[in-house]
Structures are given as C-alpha cells and as structure tokens.
Amino acid sequence: MTIPSKYDAKQVEDKWYDYWMKNNYFHSTPDEREPYTIVIPPPNVTGVLHMGHMLNNTIQDVLIRRARLLGKNACWVPGTDHASIATEAKVVAKLKEQGIKKSDLTREEFLQHAFDWKDEYGGIILEQLKKLGASCDWERTAFTMDPEMSESVIKVFVDLYNKGLIYRGYRMVNWDPEAKTTLSDEEVIHEERQGNLYYLEYKIEGSTDTLTIATTRPETIFGDTAICINPNDERFTHLKGKKAIVPLCGRIIPIIEDEYVDLEFGTGCLKVTPAHDENDKNLGDKHNLEVIDIFNDDASLNSFGLHYQGKDRFVVRKEIAKELSEKGILVKTEVHTNKVGTSERTKAVIEPRLSDQWFLKMEELAKPAIKAVLGDDTDINLYPKKFENTYRHWMENVRDWNISRQLWWGQQIPAFFYGDGKEDFVVAENIEDALVLAKEKTGNASLSVSDLKQDEDALDTWFSSWLWPMSVFDGIRNPENEEIKYYYPTNDLVTGPDILFFWVARMIVAGYEYKDEKPFNNVYLTGLVRDKQRRKMSKSLGNSPDALKLIDDYGADGVRVGLLLSSAAGNDLMFDEDLCQQGKGFANKIWNAFRLIKGWEVDASLPQPKTSQIGLTWYEAKFQKTLAEIEDHFSKYRLSDALMAIYKLINDDFSSWLLEIVKPAYQQPIDKTTFDAIIEVLENNLKVLHPFMPFLTEEIWQHITERSSEEALVIAKYPLIKEFDTQIITNFDFATDVVSGIRTIRKDKNISFKDAVELFVIDNDKSSKEFDAVIQKLTNTSAINYVSEKVEGASFRVKSNEYFVPISIENIDVEAEIKKLEAELKRAEGFLFGINKKLSNERFVANAPEQVITLERKKEADTIAKIETIKSSLSSLK
C-alpha cells in the first residue's frame, strides 16, 4: 500500500469502522475467556449527541477497547431509553402539527404513532456514536420498551406487589402541569425565586372583626377550608371557635387551632388549603377538613375558581391580586423569596396535588444497597470517592418511590379493576391471569375479560431502566440463562453524578433484590463538560459545540484526545477546542513519524551501531516504566493521566529522542536489526494508544505490513508488563540535559550543526558514559574529553558536572553573532540607564527600604559586569 503524505481522518474513519463491523470484532458471546462487560447508560431515544455523551462514551470505549486488547471477552451493550415524558411530549407536538389531539386517539392508536416516531427519529444518537468510534456490540442493541424488556418490567412489578412492597395510595404528589403527570420527589428541582407575599383580610362570621393572612398564592383561596391559629398566640384568643368567610367565594370555614402555626411568620394566621399543599393536607387530615381541588390537570382553574375558570394559575394570580386590591381585601404586598419546585424535564412549576398513585416501599430494599457502597467490606466502588456522601444522603433518607405516571408512552401498570371501588383491583402479568385472580377475589365465576379495565397509568421510565444490567441479558425472565450467568455482574459503569440516585442507586437496589448480587464492580462518575470559563454548556449560552462538526473538523481521534486532555475543574471538565487541535496535531506527528520510518532504506548487511543499540535498550525500559504508570492510572480511573503518559512517551521519548538516535545519516540506509526493532517499538506504541485513538492506530498498523483479519490491531495482544532497568532511564535523562546544554550553546553562538564541536567534561558526578556516543551523534560532537581543569569556551552545568565547548571563529556565523551581541548590549545599556536614574534620585534613595536599595545596587553591578562581557565578546569578533 502506498502511504499517503497526509493523514486524512475522514477517509480513514469510515474505512476502518466498516472493516471492524464487517469482521464482527465488537460482538461477544460467552466463552472460556474472562468477561469484561459494560452496559451503556441508555440515552433518551429522542436524543442527539452532545458533549456529555461524547465524554461518557469516549471513556467507555477506551475501557472496552483496552479490555479487548488484554484478551478479555469484551462486551459493551448499547441501547436507548424510551424516556416517557420527553418522548410523549415530542409525539404530542408532532400530532398537533398534523391537527391531531392526543385526546381524540385511543391508547393503541397513540402508541402506534409513538412507535412510528421512534422508528423514524429514535436511535439517531447510536448512529452518531459510531462516528466517535464506539465499539459497542450493536447486535445486542436494546430499547427499554422492546417486548422482552417490557415483559421483565411487568414481571418485577407483579413480584414486588405480591411481596407487599408496591401499594396504591391517595397521596399528595408532585404534579407537572405541562407533562400532565406526577413526578417522583427526585425529579423535582427546588429553585429560589423572588415572588410576593400577599396580605389578605378575611371577615369573621357574625362579627365586624377581621383577620389577616399572608400567602404567596392568592389564587388558592378558592380551595381554603380552614384558618389555623396557634393555641398559644394571645393575639387571637378572641377568634377561638369562630368561623371565617373566604373572600370572593363567600365560603364559611372553621378557625382551627394547631401548634404547627409559626408565631413569627406572616401574621400568625394560616390559610389551610388541603388539596394544594402537603403541610396543609396533614393539617386537614388531623382536623378532618374538606378537600377542594381547584385546578385542572394543566394548572388552569376549574369551576371552583368561579369567574377565573379556565385561566392559568399565574394569570389568575395577577388578576386576582388586582380584584382583591380593588375590593379592599388585599391589605399590602411584600417582595418575598421562597423555594419553588420545578420539573427536571419540562421546567414547569410543580403543583402539589392529591391523587391515587402507585408507590414502591424503599426503606427495606435500600439496606443491601447502602451496605454494598458504604459498608465496611464494600462490594461497589464509586470514583471519585467524594460521591459516597451524596449516595449516603439519598439512601439514608430514601422515601417511597412514586412509580406511576399519567402517560401512555411506557409500560402500562398491570393492575386490573373489576369494580368502582378503590380496592377493586388485582395485579397480574396479563389480563388472563388477572381474570383468574378477580374471580377468586370476588367469588364471581361469571366475570369475563370485558369486565376488567386496566389502570390507565404507565410506569416511571426509571422503573424499566433500573433493571438494565439484568434485563439486557434476559436475567429477569430467565434468571439462570447462560448470558446472565456469564456477563453479570458487569465490570464498570460510566455515568454522570446527576443520576447517581435516579439510576445508579436503584440499579444496585434491583441487583440485590433479583440477583442477590451487585450489578457492577465500579462506578466511574464523570463530571459536567464546561467551557473554558467554567460555564455549563447550554443552547441558550451558545457555548456548546456541535459534536459532529468537531469530529468533522478534527477527526474522531482528535476530539477524543481533546476531551480527555481537558483540564479538570473539580470533577467537571473544562473543554477547550484548542485541545482537539492538539489531538489532531498529535495524530499528524505520529503519522509523519511513521512515514519517516517507512521512508528509510534497509541494508541487511550493515552492523547495528552502538548508538542504536543503547537507544533501543533505553526506550524499552522507558516504555515499561510508562506501561506500569498507565496500569496504575487505569486502576484509579485516571484516564486523562494515562493518556498524558502515552502522549509524552510517543511525542517526546519516541519521536523527539529515539528516532533521532537511530536515524541513519542523510541518504544513507539503516541496518535491518535496528529497523525491525523500531517497527516492533512502533507497534507496541500503537497498542497502548489504540484505546484512545483507534482510527489512526489501525490505519498505521495496517500500513506497516499486510495483515489478515485475525491480525487487526483492534484484537491484537496488549504489551505485557516486565521488569525494567531504572538506572538506564536516569542515565539517559542526564544525557538529554547534556544534549540540551550543547544545543543551547550552538543556538546562542550561532554555530551551524554541520560544524562539529568538541566537548570537555569535569566529571564531578562520576556519571555513566554509556550514552556518550548518543550525545556525540545528537550534537555533532567530534570528541568528549574528560578533564580535571576548566577549559576556555562556552560552558554549562548538569548537576555537579561542568561542560565546556571551545569556541573558535571558524565555528561561528560571525555576522549573525555580532548582530545578536549588539542587540543584547543595547538592551543591557538601556536597563542600566533605568537603574542609574533610580539610584540618582535622592528622594527614592532616602525613602526606599534598605533591602530595595541593596537589590537595585546588585542589579547595577550585575548589569555592568554583563556589559563588560558582551563588549569583550564583541571585540574578539571584530
């Protein structure tokens, strides 16, 4: 194959990805090898690739490709999540564009539209991951609403219900009026927002007295069913046992007493709205109050809102404040900051609402999951460890999980009602089993399938994805099958800390409940990808790059390197596009190094030079040292450090040092022993770099020699760690300092490389001389002489050793040296003028601290000495 002069990432990436797919390298089936398993955090089926996905999946691909090279049976399971709220919203919006309302469709018709939408748009993100180089086992691609996955979810629901862990309760829930569904407590984000505190006057029945209450939500007065005072509040003893009249609607409500009321907040009188506040609901239950729900499911007011019926709650808030003010009921308004719950998905303000919902008892289920991560003998490791505190907080304060959602897109709750009562239901995996149970429960043998009505609600999306590490291997339906026994528990989970509770903790809970075993060994929690200014990337800020455009501009390998080299900001990553350019530049450097090697003519009759022999021996030791460092970094999930170690090895040690040491003279051949050894070195370099830069490395690997499909780099054998000589590395580092010293003299004195110089050494360190030949070759030094006295000429030190290079006029480009020295003299004289001006200023000398004067006089003396040296050098050249 002819080697192109430039590395063309676009052409190379498609070629090798197709080749890997054609040869099925990513596919895994159980065998005698040690398994290495990762399950992808399934992205939303609606999603497109963003920077967070890029980072997360690059890390997973690095881990899986490395495991493959280490000879493990690497299995990376891809898939997508049905994302009930997000997907249903997109399908409803699409139908609206076509003039179709969801309410006009049956559930089956709506689901058909949803699956059509999923088939058309879903899975785009998985195709985009291929562009990044993700080596997933695509034959295993799963979707959380695949029939077998849904069957697993339903099976688990029925099992947990039968164990008494799932129950139906009439509770105050978090209602998302935009998505028109409940949310679990964990899906609610509490934000501080500035609003108003409205002071409203209520009349007392049969009296001219009034009382004033303070509320942030005047629109909810239509749901008031009591006023509550603290029994210890002497201000209101005259109100005990009386009744108040709700403004506008005229409802007469009792004045109740409870120590729950804060004497210090507002006016000391509290309006009680049991349908729209959890604390009010608790008071209502305690005092047997009526519950009046004033909202529709979209948070507009219903008929209880009188003339505001059909209007949105926030519109009503403004309008009712105006009406109450005009009628003299609104006494005053104050600016007030309070915490408002918002939907994580839709950002809508959450409405507390009473509703019949399904809950999963979590307290007992959570115990094994707490012990697994936080116990004395932990089964699961979190990286970084700091997230253990977050995990502890969530799990030790766990609440029952609201698992029902008022949506159609998702697994329908397998509860079947046979009557109108709240308890008139049975739970079963299918309607046939439900009928048997219903007949048993009612004693009515004449019941038929048509008498049963399935619960309309769907299960929370997380209730399907918490089974992911098991369900992708069919471990729920067939718990003893070969695959679940081979691949489970999985090895590493790579995900974001934002879903540590939503997903990670719940998977651990499910793993111990259904396999009595952890779902994974390690959890690597990546941070957020931020911009250079540490801002979170978002569409609104316009600071989130187009992921596919980055790949187009810098190549997948360049982007992967750029992401992993981005500097850490806490646990987050500060992404800088310049690092993708650095990654692209690194790829070009490796490509050019390869072209240099392949361009050498090989002569089998030539003996191996001593310089090449010692250079290769040093590099083998350096490679082994780096290999051990890489291993250590991987064991601690410090992938960026592992990449940086490889980067320095190839960029500095290999390209800048080893190739220079073994390079034959201009237009001269290289000996075969050295050439073969360099090819072996290059191949080992490619093996350790492959997990990070898979496309470039495979391209070079296949260009080195013709290879069969069994010899592809993607399935090559990773280099083995061996013992190495640390002393040779130390000696070489010393030698490189000597080389740098000589090169500096050449540069400073304008000595051309083609002119040989001589080196004299006072060897105070008794340094090793094994690299002397290398020093000579790299610096064009004719001889290295070990002496006991100083030699006239330019000098430098390395540790205690002194080095001298005699300078003769013949060596120097005299004109260039004179020009350089004259410029130096001008700078030094200008600097001296500034110091003299300062020191001749009597006020400065009189007022400046003594140490400042001393420092200035030292600068003056040093600069005078420097000027004398430059003048002396100039006179010797003229």
Side-chain angles (χ1 to χ4, degrees):
M1 286 191 286
T2 54
I3 302 168
S5 60
K6 287 192 173 167
Y7 177 67
D8 182 355
K10 285 178 193 170
Q11 182 266 329
V12 164
E13 287 167 9
D14 288 343
K15 176 178 75 178
W16 290 119
Y17 203 89
D18 291 346
Y19 178 80
W20 294 329
M21 290 289 284
K22 190 181 96 185
N23 286 286
N24 223 15
Y25 295 127
F26 307 156
H27 184 54
S28 168
T29 52
D31 60 25
E32 71 291 342
R33 289 175 296 166
E34 177 191 343
Y36 177 83
T37 317
I38 293 180
V39 291
I40 202 170
N44 287 358
V45 73
T46 59
V48 290
L49 201 62
H50 60 58
M51 297 306 289
H53 293 131
M54 296 263 277
L55 172 66
N56 185 290
N57 287 284
T58 293
I59 290 167
Q60 289 176 81
D61 195 48
V62 168
L63 294 172
I64 210 84
R65 284 181 181 274
R66 184 166 178 271
R68 207 176 276 125
L69 294 174
L70 287 167
K72 295 176 185 177
N73 190 351
C75 179
W76 182 11
V77 182
T80 50
D81 186 269
H82 64 275
S84 51
I85 295 175
T87 307
E88 183 149 326
K90 292 208 173 189
V91 175
V92 168
K94 185 170 183 281
L95 289 171
K96 195 175 177 183
E97 286 171 15
Q98 297 168 8
I100 303 169
K101 287 183 183 174
K102 179 189 169 186
S103 55
D104 293 340
L105 301 172
T106 65
R107 187 186 199 108
E108 288 66 34
E109 287 167 343
F110 177 80
L111 288 176
Q112 190 52 58
H113 280 289
F115 273 108
D116 290 346
W117 185 93
K118 177 251 174 188
D119 291 341
E120 188 174 351
Y121 300 103
I124 288 173
I125 192 165
L126 299 183
E127 289 305 308
Q128 292 174 328
L129 284 177
K130 292 177 183 178
K131 294 281 181 198
L132 188 64
S135 58
C136 302
D137 185 347
W138 297 108
E139 290 178 38
R140 293 182 176 275
T141 303
F143 174 53
T144 51
M145 269 181 66
D146 284 338
E148 59 274 19
M149 303 290 272
S150 289
E151 196 182 316
S152 299
V153 172
I154 299 305
K155 201 174 188 68
V156 164
F157 182 98
V158 173
D159 177 66
L160 292 170
Y161 176 80
N162 290 336
K163 287 173 178 170
L165 293 170
I166 285 179
Y167 64 93
R168 195 163 186 258
Y170 186 64
R171 298 282 185 84
M172 183 69 71
V173 293
N174 306 299
W175 183 259
D176 180 336
E178 194 169 311
K180 295 182 185 171
T181 181
T182 58
L183 301 178
S184 66
D185 293 335
E186 295 75 31
E187 291 168 298
V188 177
I189 309 297
H190 293 277
E191 300 173 356
E192 281 211 340
R193 290 198 182 176
Q194 196 176 73
N196 291 321
L197 200 56
Y198 301 86
Y199 288 79
L200 309 180
E201 203 169 72
Y202 286 54
K203 288 180 179 175
I204 305 301
E205 186 191 28
S207 159
T208 55
D209 287 347
T210 60
L211 62 83
T212 305
I213 63 98
T215 179
T216 56
R217 305 188 64 195
E219 70 278 9
T220 62
I221 61 171
F222 298 115
D224 289 356
T225 56
I227 297 289
C228 191
I229 57 173
N230 191 308
N232 306 314
D233 195 335
E234 293 175 3
R235 293 174 293 174
F236 303 117
T237 49
H238 65 291
L239 295 178
K240 290 183 179 183
K242 296 193 176 179
K243 292 186 176 178
I245 303 165
V246 179
L248 303 187
C249 68
R251 185 185 306 119
I252 295 167
I253 57 173
I255 295 172
I256 61 172
E257 299 169 53
D258 200 291
E259 290 187 343
Y260 167 75
V261 177
D262 184 350
L263 299 170
E264 304 298 319
F265 181 75
T267 64
C269 290
L270 180 77
K271 67 190 273 304
V272 185
T273 319
H276 300 295
D277 181 275
E278 181 141 21
N279 296 318
D280 289 11
K281 169 70 169 63
N282 294 336
L283 274 173
D285 289 346
K286 189 174 171 183
H287 296 274
N288 233 1
L289 299 177
E290 186 185 0
V291 176
I292 299 172
D293 185 348
I294 66 164
F295 289 121
N296 296 312
D297 61 5
D298 62 353
S300 63
L301 272 72
N302 60 24
S303 59
F304 282 108
L306 304 178
H307 47 290
Y308 292 109
Q309 183 177 356
K311 291 187 176 181
D312 180 76
R313 56 190 164 158
F314 296 120
V315 172
V316 174
R317 188 173 299 174
K318 282 183 184 174
E319 292 183 3
I320 202 170
K322 190 171 178 238
E323 183 182 355
L324 292 168
S325 178
E326 287 168 354
K327 291 184 173 172
I329 297 163
L330 178 60
V331 180
K332 64 172 177 174
T333 306
E334 289 176 354
V335 172
H336 177 70
T337 301
N338 66 333
K339 281 202 166 179
V340 175
T342 60
S343 166
E344 186 203 28
R345 290 275 178 219
T346 66
K347 313 303 178 204
V349 172
I350 292 302
E351 195 57 61
R353 192 181 195 196
L354 282 165
S355 174
D356 284 307
Q357 300 292 334
W358 294 89
F359 296 87
L360 174 60
K361 296 176 185 175
M362 290 297 289
E363 193 177 349
E364 286 303 311
L365 284 172
K367 284 177 181 174
I370 294 170
K371 187 168 174 281
V373 176
L374 305 170
D376 296 333
D377 188 19
T378 56
D379 281 347
I380 299 168
N381 304 303
L382 300 188
Y383 297 90
K385 278 185 81 65
K386 67 177 182 180
F387 287 110
E388 286 179 5
N389 289 332
T390 311
Y391 185 87
R392 183 188 302 280
H393 172 75
W394 278 112
M395 296 302 278
E396 291 182 353
N397 297 285
V398 74
R399 298 172 69 172
D400 288 358
W401 176 10
N402 173 4
I403 55 174
S404 46
R405 298 290 178 271
Q406 289 60 55
L407 300 164
W408 281 352
W409 180 243
Q411 286 89 11
Q412 190 172 357
I413 288 175
F416 299 85
F417 290 82
Y418 53 79
D420 297 328
K422 284 194 174 185
E423 297 303 315
D424 293 348
F425 67 85
V426 291
V427 170
E429 289 182 38
N430 53 60
I431 199 162
E432 291 76 22
D433 291 353
L435 183 60
V436 173
L437 291 172
K439 283 178 179 178
E440 284 175 15
K441 194 171 175 182
T442 61
N444 180 358
S446 65
L447 276 179
S448 68
V449 165
S450 61
D451 296 318
L452 301 183
K453 186 174 185 296
Q454 190 171 351
D455 194 310
E456 284 285 307
D457 289 355
L459 284 158
D460 180 9
T461 304
W462 297 110
F463 195 82
S464 56
S465 53
W466 79 320
L467 306 175
W468 188 248
M470 295 178 284
S471 58
V472 293
F473 299 115
D474 205 14
I476 298 293
R477 299 189 314 158
N478 299 297
E480 295 303 312
N481 82 73
E482 182 192 18
E483 293 215 330
I484 192 78
K485 286 162 86 172
Y486 181 75
Y487 292 115
Y488 189 96
T490 67
N491 294 73
D492 296 321
L493 179 77
V494 182
T495 189
D498 52 328
I499 53 173
L500 178 57
F501 179 77
F502 286 128
W503 191 47
V504 179
R506 287 169 177 167
M507 281 191 288
I508 298 170
V509 168
Y512 281 102
E513 180 64 16
Y514 286 99
K515 296 301 294 175
D516 197 23
E517 200 174 1
K518 60 188 172 184
F520 26 71
N521 298 325
N522 305 295
V523 180
Y524 178 49
L525 297 154
T526 65
L528 287 170
V529 182
R530 296 183 179 274
D531 66 12
K532 283 189 286 187
Q533 296 166 40
R534 296 194 173 203
R535 298 177 305 175
K536 186 177 175 179
M537 288 189 168
S538 68
K539 283 180 188 171
S540 56
L541 285 173
N543 63 345
S544 185
D546 178 334
L548 292 179
K549 188 175 185 305
L550 285 176
I551 291 173
D552 207 43
D553 290 346
Y554 303 106
D557 290 333
V559 175
R560 289 165 69 117
V561 168
L563 275 165
L564 289 175
L565 290 185
S566 294
S567 59
N571 190 51
D572 294 342
L573 229 73
M574 286 191 295
F575 177 71
D576 184 351
E577 205 170 307
D578 289 348
L579 291 165
C580 294
Q581 184 60 54
Q582 188 180 334
K584 184 179 180 178
F586 184 43
N588 287 333
K589 182 158 188 177
I590 298 167
W591 182 255
N592 290 334
F594 165 62
R595 287 184 66 244
L596 173 74
I597 294 163
K598 287 297 270 185
W600 291 336
E601 184 191 335
V602 183
D603 187 340
S605 66
L606 287 176
Q608 184 179 36
K610 188 184 171 189
T611 48
S612 296
Q613 192 179 347
I614 188 69
L616 286 160
T617 306
W618 157 74
Y619 190 81
E620 173 59 24
K622 185 70 190 219
F623 181 83
Q624 284 299 329
K625 180 175 185 279
T626 307
L627 203 57
E629 287 170 10
I630 294 165
E631 185 65 33
D632 181 57
H633 291 319
F634 268 101
S635 74
K636 293 164 184 166
Y637 292 85
R638 295 201 303 241
L639 271 66
S640 295
D641 292 342
L643 173 59
M644 186 47 81
I646 296 166
Y647 182 92
K648 287 176 179 172
L649 177 80
I650 296 173
N651 196 62
D652 303 342
D653 300 316
F654 178 71
S655 300
S656 300
W657 290 107
L658 182 62
L659 291 186
E660 289 300 311
I661 292 169
V662 303
K663 188 168 72 175
Y666 182 63
Q667 291 190 336
Q668 296 300 306
I670 189 169
D671 67 283
K672 192 171 188 310
T673 307
T674 301
F675 182 80
D676 291 347
I678 282 291
I679 291 296
E680 188 181 339
V681 164
L682 175 62
E683 288 183 340
N684 281 331
N685 287 347
L686 295 176
K687 287 174 185 177
V688 296
L689 183 60
H690 177 75
F692 297 93
M693 302 181 81
F695 295 109
L696 167 82
T697 51
E698 188 74 74
E699 172 77 352
I700 294 175
W701 179 267
Q702 299 283 356
H703 267 296
I704 289 171
T705 186
E706 205 167 305
R707 307 194 194 252
S708 69
S709 57
E710 288 79 31
E711 296 169 318
L713 176 58
V714 68
I715 52 164
K717 197 173 178 204
Y718 201 74
L720 294 170
I721 292 180
K722 301 171 191 168
E723 286 190 7
F724 59 92
D725 178 2
T726 54
Q727 191 56 51
I728 197 170
I729 296 171
T730 305
N731 293 347
F732 184 78
D733 288 345
F734 192 97
T736 61
D737 287 343
V738 176
V739 170
S740 298
I742 299 168
R743 285 175 173 171
T744 300
I745 288 171
R746 280 188 174 278
K747 183 170 172 282
D748 289 349
K749 301 297 179 187
N750 284 302
I751 303 170
S752 168
F753 186 80
K754 68 176 187 290
D755 297 325
V757 294
E758 203 170 349
L759 184 67
F760 292 83
V761 189
I762 298 177
D763 190 16
N764 298 320
D765 271 328
K766 300 291 178 276
S767 58
S768 165
K769 299 175 181 60
E770 65 185 325
F771 286 104
D772 281 7
V774 170
I775 292 168
Q776 285 184 255
K777 178 175 180 179
L778 296 179
T779 58
N780 191 13
T781 300
S782 57
I784 298 179
N785 308 292
Y786 288 85
V787 295
S788 54
E789 297 294 326
K790 291 187 178 186
V791 175
E792 191 68 35
S795 67
F796 62 93
R797 277 178 174 271
V798 177
K799 292 193 177 165
S800 302
N801 278 10
E802 291 181 78
Y803 294 85
F804 304 92
V805 177
I807 307 296
S808 65
I809 293 289
E810 294 83 54
N811 287 131
I812 298 173
D813 180 337
V814 176
E815 206 174 306
E817 184 65 9
I818 288 171
K819 202 173 176 183
K820 191 187 87 174
L821 287 170
E822 283 175 343
E824 273 183 38
L825 180 63
K826 193 176 179 183
R827 274 197 304 275
E829 286 173 340
F831 187 64
L832 181 63
F833 177 78
I835 297 169
N836 289 340
K837 196 174 178 184
K838 228 186 247 182
L839 291 173
S840 63
N841 183 330
E842 288 177 13
R843 280 182 66 192
F844 172 76
V845 174
N847 296 319
E850 194 179 327
Q851 63 265 35
V852 172
I853 303 295
T854 305
L855 183 64
E856 290 300 320
R857 295 208 188 282
K858 187 178 183 310
K859 281 188 203 172
E860 181 185 41
D862 289 347
T863 310
I864 289 167
K866 187 177 180 180
I867 289 168
E868 287 308 311
T869 304
I870 296 168
K871 284 180 175 176
S872 169
S873 297
L874 275 168
S875 64
S876 67
L877 290 170
K878 287 179 178 175

